């Protein structure tokens, strides 16, 4: 979306237009922004309350609502979460009120030979649900999935950065197929990383079912690849899409710095 200047502040009608488009499309890019931290925070809050940042070490030092996603090191330490999004996932499904939206503002993007690297790819959980055979929809109707922050991913050792707050996060439960809180569409809400079981089902039966249906989400036909430009604000819907970051840039010389905010948590149904 072009022609929007977030730094100038948005009236209710302009924001309503953005919000309607966001609910319809699930991923929205506002290109060409030039924002201070307070301007960015004020815009993000239009989508809902700011969520707690778990990995507090990577919060912006002056504006702790902003979480830094970055491969930049200062004084030998990562300034931000360096491997965020390394597997397909939806943000913070391990909380009982997962965020409605995540915003990522591109402060610095890695460029090689004129090509911007570090794409983010999205897959529609709503389209994946719609494409399921009717008997599969019936099979998962009413099933409740158990989400655990380190879940099965912890066992495979792909998580490299953890923190105490997340380690103490209790297991939570969400529907296998969530009803989107704004559009009413059904969306598959499972990922192998966080989902450890299904209530009332043996692990031997639950895990293959989670894996099988989670694997349908990132199919090519449900995907969209975002090619970044510095100054993009990208907003994604955590019920309607999953996402995956790419790490095709060299560390530390090809610098990437994103300001991330997660907002608008609500109970699932
Ligand atoms: C994330 O998964 O939060 C970050 C995605 C990205 O950096 O592309």
């Amino acid at each position: 979306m072009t022609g929007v200047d977030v730094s100038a502040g948005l009236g209710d009608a302009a924001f309503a237009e953005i919000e309607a488009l966001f609910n319809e499309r699930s991923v929205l890019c506002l290109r060409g922004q030039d924002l201070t931290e307070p301007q960015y925070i004020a815009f993000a809050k239009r989508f809902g309350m700011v969520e707690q940042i778990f990995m507090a070490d990577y919060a912006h030092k002056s504006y702790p609502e902003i979480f830094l996603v970055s491969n930049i090191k200062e004084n030998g330490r990562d300034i931000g979460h360096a491997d965020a999004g390394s597997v397909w996932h939806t943000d913070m499904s391990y909380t009982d009120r997962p965020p409605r939206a995540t915003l990522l503002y591109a402060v610095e993007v890695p460029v090689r030979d004129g090509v911007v690297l570090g794409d983010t790819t999205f897959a529609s959980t709503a389209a994946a649900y719609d494409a399921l055979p009717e008997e599969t929809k019936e099979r998962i109707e009413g099933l409740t999935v158990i989400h655990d922050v380190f879940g099965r991913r912890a066992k495979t050792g792909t998580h490299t950065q953890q923190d105490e707050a997340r380690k103490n996060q209790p297991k939570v439960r969400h529907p296998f197929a969530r009803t989107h809180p704004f559009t009413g569409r059904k969306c598959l809400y499972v990922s192998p990383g966080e989902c450890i079981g299904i209530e009332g089902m043996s692990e031997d039966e639950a895990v293959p079912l989670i894996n099988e249906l989670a694997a349908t989400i990132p199919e090519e036909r449900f995907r969209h690849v975002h090619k970044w430009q510095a100054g993009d604000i990208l907003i994604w819907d955590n019920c309607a899409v999953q996402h995956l970051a790419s790490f095709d840039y060299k560390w530390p010389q090809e610098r990437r710095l994103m300001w991330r905010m997660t907002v608008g948590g609500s109970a699932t149904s």
Side-chain angles (χ1 to χ4, degrees):
M1 194 173 191
T2 52
V4 177
D5 179 3
V6 171
S7 71
L10 297 172
D12 288 345
F15 181 72
E17 210 177 304
I18 289 175
E19 191 177 30
L21 201 57
F22 172 65
N23 285 334
E24 184 191 317
R25 301 288 174 89
S26 313
V27 181
L28 197 62
C29 173
L30 303 179
R31 189 133 268 183
Q33 307 301 316
D34 184 8
L35 297 177
T36 62
E37 288 89 340
Q39 289 165 344
Y40 180 51
I41 293 166
F43 175 65
K45 282 183 174 171
R46 306 285 293 262
F47 289 90
M49 273 172 52
V50 177
E51 299 300 320
Q52 180 194 351
I53 286 180
F54 281 93
M55 301 167 89
D57 279 358
Y58 301 140
H60 189 298
K61 293 290 172 269
S62 309
Y63 297 92
E65 300 94 328
I66 298 176
F67 179 77
L68 303 182
V69 172
S70 184
N71 64 343
I72 300 172
K73 280 188 192 288
E74 277 172 9
N75 303 320
R77 69 171 277 280
D78 293 329
I79 66 161
H81 191 359
D83 64 356
S86 54
V87 293
W88 282 103
H89 70 291
T90 173
D91 288 330
M92 296 167 69
S93 75
Y94 52 82
T95 58
D96 58 352
R97 296 168 63 85
R100 169 191 187 187
T102 299
L103 293 89
L104 214 55
Y105 174 56
V107 180
E108 280 187 68
V109 293
V111 184
R112 191 186 309 155
D113 302 329
V115 177
V116 177
L117 304 170
D119 298 346
T120 308
T121 303
F122 294 89
S124 172
T125 57
Y129 176 84
D130 288 347
L132 293 176
E134 283 311 311
E135 65 266 25
T136 308
K137 290 180 183 167
E138 279 163 26
R139 186 170 176 213
I140 62 174
E141 183 61 35
L143 293 183
T144 300
V145 177
I146 304 159
H147 295 239
D148 180 5
V149 62
F150 293 122
R152 290 185 283 134
R153 206 186 300 172
K155 291 183 192 156
T156 60
T158 52
H159 241 287
T160 57
Q161 294 165 320
Q162 305 186 358
D163 73 343
E164 286 307 313
R166 290 211 306 181
K167 277 185 204 151
N168 296 330
Q169 186 68 16
K171 296 179 181 52
V172 297
R173 285 157 174 75
H174 298 297
F176 202 119
R178 256 185 89 175
T179 303
H180 192 283
F182 291 86
T183 66
R185 281 184 81 179
K186 286 277 188 139
C187 303
L188 278 177
Y189 199 63
V190 282
S191 56
E194 278 90 8
C195 297
I196 58 167
I198 296 174
E199 237 164 29
M201 202 181 270
S202 71
E203 195 176 328
D204 287 354
E205 198 186 345
V207 169
L209 182 60
I210 291 167
N211 288 349
E212 181 192 330
L213 295 202
T216 67
I217 298 169
E219 282 180 21
E220 203 64 41
R221 59 189 169 143
F222 306 134
R223 284 192 194 192
H224 164 74
V225 179
H226 181 69
K227 303 263 173 208
W228 288 96
Q229 285 184 16
D232 283 352
I233 301 176
L234 196 67
I235 314 159
W236 65 80
D237 180 322
N238 280 305
C239 181
V241 295
Q242 291 191 359
H243 60 282
L244 177 74
S246 63
F247 298 91
D248 54 351
Y249 45 94
K250 292 197 192 97
W251 299 17
Q253 64 272 39
E254 293 175 331
R255 290 163 56 106
R256 190 173 189 267
L257 173 59
M258 303 280 174
W259 292 349
R260 191 176 106 161
M261 290 188 67
T262 43
V263 292
S266 65
T268 58
S269 62

